[in-house]
Amino acid sequence: MKIDKKTINAAVFFFILYWLLAYVLVFKKKLIFAELTAVHIGIVIAGSIVLVLLSKILCPVFELVLKVTGKIGTLIFALITTIVYIFILTPIAFYKKLRGPVLLQHKFDKEKTSYFEEWESSPNLEKQY
């Protein structure tokens, strides 16, 4: 029986999702069981094993989840970049326009022909720069 990468990814995704739900519902909040016993923990572990074994069947669900979350991620990225552009970059541009075009004040010495500085190599290799 050969297991492809898509099945492994689906198994890992649903295993992690299952354990996150188990942690929140069973271990953290104790919403399902009032007291945790070895039997209850065994049921949670058995559920995770069954979920891993059914990962081949759950591959289409995993692909659907990937497509939906990809679209949601694209939408969130577009919203965040739009908000940054409108509320951060646009006010900075307006402030720059009102204040003047020069953002950095350069003062050049007109008597110098160049600002290039010669570099001398150091004999010590640890202190080259």
Side-chain angles (χ1 to χ4, degrees), residues 19-105:
W19 274 97
L20 284 172
L21 287 172
Y23 174 74
V24 170
L25 296 176
V26 177
F27 298 111
K28 185 76 173 168
K29 299 287 184 183
K30 297 182 182 175
L31 294 176
I32 296 175
F33 310 121
E35 288 184 19
L36 284 178
T37 63
V39 174
H40 298 123
I41 294 173
I43 291 171
V44 171
I45 292 173
S48 65
I49 291 171
V50 169
L51 190 64
V52 169
L53 293 175
L54 293 176
S55 62
K56 186 76 171 174
I57 299 169
L58 295 173
C59 276
V61 176
F62 175 64
E63 290 174 354
L64 179 69
V65 167
L66 284 180
K67 287 179 184 176
V68 170
T69 55
K71 298 292 182 188
I72 291 172
T74 303
L75 178 68
I76 290 173
F77 175 75
L79 286 173
I80 289 174
T81 52
T82 303
I83 289 169
V84 165
Y85 182 78
I86 291 172
F87 293 109
I88 295 175
L89 296 179
T90 304
I92 290 173
F94 283 141
Y95 177 73
K96 184 181 174 223
K97 288 279 185 185
L98 291 174
R99 192 163 177 264
V102 179
L103 202 58
L104 298 174
Q105 298 293 330

